[in-house]
């Protein structure tokens, strides 16, 4: 049964499966039922086969019975779904019993034939029971999923009520009390939406959810400082503007989450992404190649019209003041070439149709290849321009000079200087917004397009907020709260620049045919030091602590990308050093995700266990490096062993830290902070070692390929064999996990890779 697009909102009986958990629950049942129905195609069964089929039928019936018991318990706890759930459970139980009866050898209707018994005599009954079972079980699962949606809606409603209260407070005491409650509600909302995001099947929805939750993550801290500033300076217009912008953005993000969770849109509108150049070229190329299969499926003007629509969107590149003359000319020339090749293709196409050809002629095939090649060259040039500009901008703004100047001039109370640097920041904002738009055109996947749009919107919104915060500080230069507020908005800007750097690498990965995905670690190993770990209790982090941890997490994220870049330069991807480096990078990435509220790590206990596993893997890498160094020359050996000793010390330090039991909120935070800092130091050493070792391996291989006569090879065969074993290692395992309590009482939020 199909569901309407708004089925989740209306809570009808539609059975559209939107989450992985429901899908994965159904797979074993579908497999068993398929086994039973397939056996019906063989009318004669041996006694052994009959018994096997009977066992499968009974297993299905028992499993359905247990499943239904859970469904009935859910129905008791949720009055509004009691009737629907009860009916679905009744149908599932009846279908399970019918399958058990139909597969029971003792109830076979048909008499023995040639010494064998025929089961499934009632084929219609079997198919009917199977359909009823799948339909009813799916309905139970979808109804249970509605309860999850209801929990998220309820949590969102609580957040909105408290948000309105926060907006109206007039005293610090009242604000602190309500914000504490708000923090706890945001933690609950963060966990519910994070789990939902991970469970969604639709990758576009996952990307949109990640973007909305990232806004909530940043806005929670902004809301704290902007509100405090407004309370401290109630007559300051810039402070009020700053605060109102945060509340508006937070409400908008909450509504975006609800759209995704419930599939609800105003008037049934469908969320459509603005058409990117990449998508346009992809569709155009698909139609061009489709001519091989059908010469009469499209009108001739459709191709040229489609290409012109793509060329028109390139105005974002060619009309930009930041596009160099050389790049502009290159794009226009490639556009003209694509037009010429398309015109030639249409001419060959018309000629083939005039000959009543049933398939593409030789001339037409050549034109198809030329047209596809020309649009590929165009796409490559656009990618080069967009990515090149983004990389240049990130380098140019790496020092965050306008932000520093705004902080300094605001602290001095210099309104004129603030206005001047505000213009500079405004120009930087416009450059970044435009660059995000260009990256969206070449991103290569819809989830990355969504991330580009999120980045564009973030720069567009935060820029003016930084300026209003700087104006407030300039008006009240001695205000610590106003200074703290400006710092928070500047940190959000810097954080978005870091995210943009990661986005840039992901877009490059897609263009070069690498997805860039981290390996998912879905089954945490059992802690080896559980006695120590049990003494650690998950505690809530306040806003300042969470902000500190989140910044460290961002640094880890960038470092893991550097590791991945270095790993890709190795010819031997199975080398021990490479595999162990990848493993460390993946585990560090999981710790980054913990600082943002995603993945499988849900508590500080799990974080500490992850850190311990990472330290053990680091020590394994030290062992590989020691073996690797055996055959090295003195200078190379000293360099490798020096870094190895540094790595060993850091791993031991991390290991001792996570094994030390602590009690209390402050001590736990210090342990989290120390664990992430040590991990960052470990990954930094790995980033240094990977290119050094790769250079040595390449040098050795080059020397080996240049060995002289067979005699010289024989003379060196023994030592070379040892070197082969030492320099060509192999081993490892990867992780990719997450979770962290964010702002105030654990406020957790994240955007996923």
């Amino acid at each position: 049964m199909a569901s309407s697009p708004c089925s989740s909102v209306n809570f009808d009986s539609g059975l559209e499966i939107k989450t992985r958990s429901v899908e994965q629950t159904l797979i074993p049942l579908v497999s068993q039922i398929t086994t039973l129905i397939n056996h019906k195609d063989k009318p004669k069964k041996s006694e052994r086969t009959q018994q096997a089929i009977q066992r499968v039928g009974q297993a299905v019936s028992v499993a359905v019975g247990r499943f239904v018991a859970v469904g009935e318990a859910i129905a008791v706890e949720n009055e509004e779904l009691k009737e629907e759930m009860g009916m679905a459970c009744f149908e599932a139980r009846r279908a399970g019993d019918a399958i058990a009866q139909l597969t029971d050898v003792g109830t076979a209707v048909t008499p023995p034939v040639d010494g064998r018994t025929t089961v499934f005599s009632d084929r219609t009954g079997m198919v009917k029971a199977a359909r009823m079972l799948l339909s009813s079980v799916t309905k139970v699962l979808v109804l249970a999923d509605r309860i999850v949606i209801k929990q998220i809606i309820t949590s969102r409603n609580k957040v909105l009520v408290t948000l309105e209260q926060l907006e109206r407070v007039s005293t610090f005491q009242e604000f602190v009390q309500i914000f504490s409650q708000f923090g706890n509600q945001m933690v609950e909302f963060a966990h519910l939406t994070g789990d939902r995001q991970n469970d969604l099947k639709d990758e576009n929805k996952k990307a949109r959810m990640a973007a909305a939750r990232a806004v909530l993550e940043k806005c929670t801290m902004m809301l704290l400082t902007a509100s405090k500033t407004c309370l401290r300076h109630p007559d300051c217009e810039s402070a009020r503007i700053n605060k109102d912008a945060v509340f508006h953005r937070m409400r908008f993000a909450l509504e975006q989450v609800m759209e995704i969770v419930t599939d609800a849109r105003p008037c049934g509108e469908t969320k459509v992404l603005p058409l990117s150049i990449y998508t346009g070229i992809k569709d155009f190329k698909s139609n061009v190649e489709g001519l091989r299969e059908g010469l009469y499926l499209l009108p001739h003007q459709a191709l040229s019209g489609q290409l012109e629509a793509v060329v028109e969107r390139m105005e974002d590149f060619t009309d930009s003041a930041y596009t160099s003359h050389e790049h502009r000319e290159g794009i226009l020339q490639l556009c003209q070439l694509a037009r010429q090749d398309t015109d030639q293709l249409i001419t060959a196409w018309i000629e083939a149709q005039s000959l009543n050809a049933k398939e593409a002629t030789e001339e037409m095939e050549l034109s198809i290849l030329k047209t596809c090649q020309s649009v590929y060259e165009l796409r490559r040039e656009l990618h080069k321009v967009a990515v090149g500009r983004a990389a240049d901008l990130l380098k140019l703004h790496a020092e965050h000079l306008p932000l520093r100047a705004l902080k300094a001039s605001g602290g001095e109370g210099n309104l004129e200087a603030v206005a001047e640097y505000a213009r500079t920041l405004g120009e930087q904002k416009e450059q970044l917004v435009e660059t995000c738009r260009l990256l969206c055109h070449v991103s290569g996947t819809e989830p990355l397009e969504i991330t580009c749009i999120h980045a564009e919107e973030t720069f567009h919104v935060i820029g003016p907020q930084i300026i209003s915060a700087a104006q407030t500080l300039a008006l009240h230069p001695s205000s610590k709260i106003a200074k703290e507020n400006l710092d928070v908005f500047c940190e959000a800007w810097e954080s978005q620049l870091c995210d943009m750097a990661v986005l840039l690498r992901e877009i490059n990965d897609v263009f070069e045919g690498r997805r860039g995905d981290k390996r998912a670690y879905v089954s945490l190993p059992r802690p080896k030091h559980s006695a120590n770990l049990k003494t650690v209790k998950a505690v809530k982090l306040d806003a300042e602590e969470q902000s500190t941890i989140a910044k460290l997490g961002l640094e880890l994220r960038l470092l893991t990308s550097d590791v991945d870049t270095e790993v890709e330069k190795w010819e031997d991807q199975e080398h021990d050093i490479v595999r162990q480096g990848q493993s460390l990078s993946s585990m560090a990435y999981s710790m980054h995700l913990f600082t943002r509220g995603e993945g499988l790590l849900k508590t500080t206990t799990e974080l500490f266990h992850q850190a311990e596993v990472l330290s053990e893997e680091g020590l394994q890498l030290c062992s590989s490096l020691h073996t690797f160094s055996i055959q090295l020359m003195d200078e190379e050996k000293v360099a490798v062993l020096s870094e190895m000793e540094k790595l060993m010390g850091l791993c031991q330090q991390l290991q001792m830290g996570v094994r030390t039991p602590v009690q209390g909120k402050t001590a736990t935070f210090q342990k989290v902070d120390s664990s992430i800092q040590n991990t960052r130091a470990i990954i930094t050493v790995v980033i240094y070692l990977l290119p050094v070792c790769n250079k040595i391996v390449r040098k050795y291989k080059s020397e080996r390929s240049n060995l002289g006569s067979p005699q010289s090879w024989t003379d060196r065969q023994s030592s070379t064999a040892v070197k082969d074993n030492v320099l060509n290692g192999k081993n490892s395992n990867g992780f990719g996990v997450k979770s962290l309590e964010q702002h105030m009482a654990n406020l957790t939020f994240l955007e996923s890779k």
Side-chain angles (χ1 to χ4, degrees):
M1 187 189 303
S3 69
S4 67
C6 299
S7 60
S8 296
V9 185
N10 300 327
F11 296 113
D12 65 11
S13 58
L15 299 182
E16 183 181 355
I17 299 171
K18 299 174 182 176
T19 58
R20 296 184 191 281
S21 55
V22 172
E23 186 177 66
Q24 292 301 313
T25 304
L26 286 171
I27 287 173
L29 180 61
V30 172
S31 175
Q32 287 178 316
I33 289 177
T34 301
T35 300
L36 294 176
I37 292 179
N38 284 347
H39 274 288
K40 178 65 189 76
D41 295 332
K42 304 170 185 176
K44 295 184 178 181
K45 316 285 188 220
S46 67
E47 185 176 344
R48 185 176 175 182
T49 302
Q50 293 170 19
Q51 291 173 351
I53 294 171
Q54 184 175 5
R55 283 196 299 272
V56 173
Q58 289 172 344
V60 168
S61 179
V62 171
V64 169
R66 291 174 183 160
F67 177 81
V68 165
V70 175
E72 289 170 342
I74 291 173
V76 171
E77 295 171 1
N78 296 270
E79 189 65 33
E80 72 279 9
L81 294 179
K82 189 172 183 178
E83 186 177 344
E84 274 189 283
M85 182 70 87
M87 180 60 69
C89 289
F90 172 77
E91 290 175 355
R93 194 187 295 278
R94 188 174 65 173
D97 291 343
I99 287 175
Q101 186 176 7
L102 286 165
T103 55
D104 186 353
V105 176
T107 62
V109 195
T110 305
V113 180
D114 298 332
R116 302 187 180 210
T117 305
T118 304
V119 295
F120 294 171
S121 306
D122 185 1
R123 177 179 177 82
T124 304
M126 182 63 202
V127 172
K128 184 179 178 181
R131 285 176 177 169
M132 182 185 292
L133 180 60
L134 284 176
S135 174
S136 54
V137 167
T138 304
K139 188 167 185 179
V140 170
L141 289 168
V142 171
L143 288 171
D145 189 59
R146 290 180 186 175
I147 294 167
V148 175
I149 294 172
K150 177 189 170 186
Q151 289 174 337
I152 296 174
I153 293 172
T154 303
S155 178
R156 188 282 308 256
N157 291 340
K158 288 180 187 176
V159 169
L160 277 179
V161 169
T162 312
L163 198 62
E164 289 177 8
Q165 293 173 352
L166 278 174
E167 201 168 14
R168 294 195 303 266
V169 296
S170 56
T171 67
F172 270 105
Q173 184 178 0
E174 186 184 6
F175 174 78
V176 170
Q177 181 182 358
I178 296 175
F179 193 84
S180 178
Q181 177 188 353
F182 177 76
N184 289 326
Q185 290 171 349
M186 287 299 288
V187 171
E188 178 190 19
F189 188 69
H191 282 301
L192 289 171
T193 54
D195 290 342
R196 188 67 178 180
Q197 178 183 322
N198 289 333
D199 198 25
L200 287 169
K201 289 170 59 182
D202 189 313
E203 292 299 323
N204 290 356
K205 286 184 179 179
K206 288 179 83 166
R208 288 174 58 213
M209 179 77 91
R213 294 178 71 239
V215 171
L216 292 172
E217 172 195 346
K218 291 183 174 74
C219 281
T220 302
M221 191 60 184
M222 293 175 186
L223 185 145
L224 173 63
T225 57
S227 297
K228 284 165 61 180
T229 304
C230 222
L231 287 170
R232 178 67 180 82
H233 308 288
D235 299 326
C236 182
E237 180 67 10
S238 57
R240 185 192 61 76
I241 291 172
N242 188 258
K243 171 191 160 187
D244 289 348
V246 175
F247 275 90
H248 174 76
R249 195 157 187 244
M250 202 151 194
R251 286 194 176 94
F252 184 72
L254 286 167
E255 289 310 308
Q256 281 187 313
V257 171
M258 285 303 98
E259 276 188 18
I260 299 158
V261 169
T262 64
D263 259 356
R265 297 187 190 96
C267 304
E269 294 174 3
T270 302
K271 184 77 174 180
V272 179
L273 289 172
L275 196 60
S276 68
I277 292 173
Y278 165 77
T279 304
I281 288 177
K282 179 182 170 187
D283 292 344
F284 173 76
K285 187 167 176 280
S286 175
N287 283 337
V288 168
E289 292 177 332
L291 293 176
R292 293 187 177 109
E293 306 300 324
L295 298 180
Y296 306 93
L297 299 178
L298 284 175
H300 304 138
Q301 61 271 25
L303 273 190
S304 55
Q306 197 175 11
L307 179 62
E308 287 307 313
V310 172
V311 170
E312 188 177 333
R313 287 193 289 277
M314 289 179 200
E315 290 176 357
D316 283 342
F317 286 82
T318 56
D319 291 358
S320 169
Y322 306 110
T323 301
S324 69
H325 175 73
E326 180 187 351
H327 283 146
R328 185 178 290 107
E329 287 300 309
I331 292 170
L332 292 173
Q333 285 175 11
L334 288 169
C335 286
Q336 190 57 34
L337 178 62
R339 283 191 181 107
Q340 290 172 2
D341 288 340
T342 303
D343 289 343
Q344 289 177 6
L345 171 59
I346 291 173
T347 301
W349 181 13
I350 292 172
E351 186 178 339
Q353 286 181 327
S354 69
L355 297 173
N356 294 323
K358 294 183 178 179
E359 57 184 25
T361 61
E362 203 170 305
E363 182 184 356
M364 192 176 165
E365 178 63 34
L366 183 60
S367 293
I368 288 173
L369 293 173
K370 285 179 66 179
T371 304
C372 289
Q373 181 61 29
S374 62
V375 293
Y376 171 76
E377 294 294 338
L378 179 56
R379 180 196 164 200
R380 186 167 65 177
E381 179 66 16
L382 295 171
H383 175 87
K384 175 183 168 185
V385 171
V387 169
R389 184 192 297 181
D392 290 344
L393 266 183
L394 289 171
K395 287 177 185 175
L396 181 63
H397 302 310
E399 300 299 318
H400 310 297
L401 297 180
L403 301 184
R404 291 183 184 180
L406 281 169
K407 289 179 186 179
S409 55
E412 294 166 358
N414 190 338
L415 279 167
E416 288 184 6
V418 166
E420 180 185 342
Y421 292 121
R423 284 192 291 272
T424 304
L425 183 67
E427 291 172 5
Q428 185 182 118
K429 180 206 76 174
E430 290 303 321
Q431 289 180 351
L432 288 165
V433 164
E434 186 177 285
T435 301
C436 289
R437 198 172 299 136
L438 300 190
L439 287 175
C440 183
H441 278 307
V442 301
S443 57
T445 70
E446 285 192 9
L448 285 179
E449 283 182 28
I450 291 167
T451 307
C452 289
I453 293 169
H454 164 67
E456 178 185 341
E457 291 171 349
T458 301
F459 285 124
H460 185 75
V461 171
I462 293 182
Q465 288 179 309
I466 291 174
I467 293 169
S468 62
Q471 290 168 344
T472 302
L473 179 59
L475 291 168
H476 307 279
S478 61
S479 172
K480 291 182 179 179
I481 290 178
K483 181 180 182 302
E484 178 191 14
N485 187 47
L486 178 57
D487 287 341
V488 166
F489 280 93
C490 288
E491 285 171 8
W493 180 275
E494 293 168 11
S495 169
Q496 189 58 50
L497 284 173
C498 290
D499 289 347
M500 187 174 173
V502 175
L503 173 62
L504 195 58
R505 284 175 177 161
E506 290 174 346
I507 289 172
N508 265 326
D509 284 345
V510 171
F511 184 79
E512 293 169 10
R514 305 186 307 268
R515 298 300 300 182
D517 296 331
K518 295 284 180 182
R519 287 169 290 180
Y521 185 75
V522 295
S523 180
L524 281 172
R526 191 169 295 173
K528 295 180 182 177
H529 302 277
S530 55
N532 287 341
L533 289 171
K534 284 179 181 176
T535 64
V536 181
K537 294 182 179 179
V539 299
K540 297 177 180 178
L541 306 179
D542 64 27
E544 185 178 351
E545 291 168 343
Q546 186 56 53
S547 177
T548 302
I549 294 300
K551 286 178 70 176
L552 287 173
L554 276 173
E555 292 173 15
L556 265 186
R557 183 183 186 182
L558 291 172
L559 288 172
T560 60
S561 294
D562 289 338
V563 172
D564 295 343
T565 300
E566 292 301 330
V567 161
E568 287 165 8
K569 296 176 183 177
W570 282 66
E571 292 179 6
D572 182 7
Q573 290 291 305
E574 294 302 310
H575 197 291
D576 274 358
I577 293 173
V578 172
R579 295 177 64 186
Q580 286 163 343
Q582 285 177 318
S583 179
L584 287 168
S585 173
S586 293
M587 285 187 269
Y589 186 80
S590 77
M591 295 173 74
H592 148 69
L593 291 178
F594 176 89
T595 67
R596 302 292 301 279
E598 263 194 4
L600 303 181
L601 294 176
K602 300 298 182 186
T603 66
T604 49
T605 301
E606 291 175 353
L607 173 72
F608 298 146
H609 175 233
Q610 177 80 95
E612 184 177 3
V613 175
L614 184 144
S615 68
E616 291 170 354
E617 185 73 7
L619 291 172
Q620 286 293 321
L621 177 57
C622 289
S623 176
S624 298
L625 288 167
H626 184 269
T627 306
F628 179 81
S629 69
I630 291 173
Q631 295 295 318
L632 302 184
M633 303 298 291
D634 289 343
E635 188 176 337
E636 294 170 339
K637 189 170 188 175
V638 169
V640 171
L641 288 179
S642 173
E643 293 301 314
M644 183 207 75
E645 288 170 5
K646 189 188 300 183
L647 179 63
M648 185 178 295
L650 290 168
C651 290
Q652 289 170 345
Q653 186 178 342
L654 176 60
Q655 200 169 64
M656 288 174 61
V658 296
R659 289 180 181 178
T660 303
V662 294
Q663 295 288 345
K665 177 175 177 291
T666 303
T668 302
F669 166 71
Q670 289 172 348
K671 186 171 175 179
V672 170
D673 181 71
S674 173
S675 299
I676 295 175
Q677 295 232 37
N678 282 333
T679 300
R680 181 182 62 177
I682 288 169
I683 299 301
T684 301
V685 175
V686 172
I687 290 170
Y688 174 82
L689 278 166
L690 281 169
V692 169
C693 295
N694 190 21
K695 183 179 178 182
I696 292 170
V697 170
R698 286 175 179 271
K699 176 185 172 185
Y700 164 71
K701 286 186 176 179
S702 175
E703 289 175 352
R704 186 176 63 180
S705 65
N706 291 330
L707 289 176
S709 64
Q711 285 77 16
S712 67
W713 165 253
T714 306
D715 294 339
R716 299 177 60 181
Q717 187 174 13
S718 176
S719 63
T720 303
V722 174
K723 263 191 177 179
D724 277 343
N725 293 331
V726 170
L727 295 175
N728 297 320
K730 300 330 183 212
N731 186 17
S732 174
N733 199 352
F735 287 68
V737 213
K738 93 161 187 197
S739 172
L740 174 59
E741 284 40 72
Q742 179 121 3
H743 310 313
M744 236 8 219
N746 274 79
L747 305 175
T748 319
F749 280 103
L750 178 79
E751 91 195 83
S752 357
K753 227 167 128 319

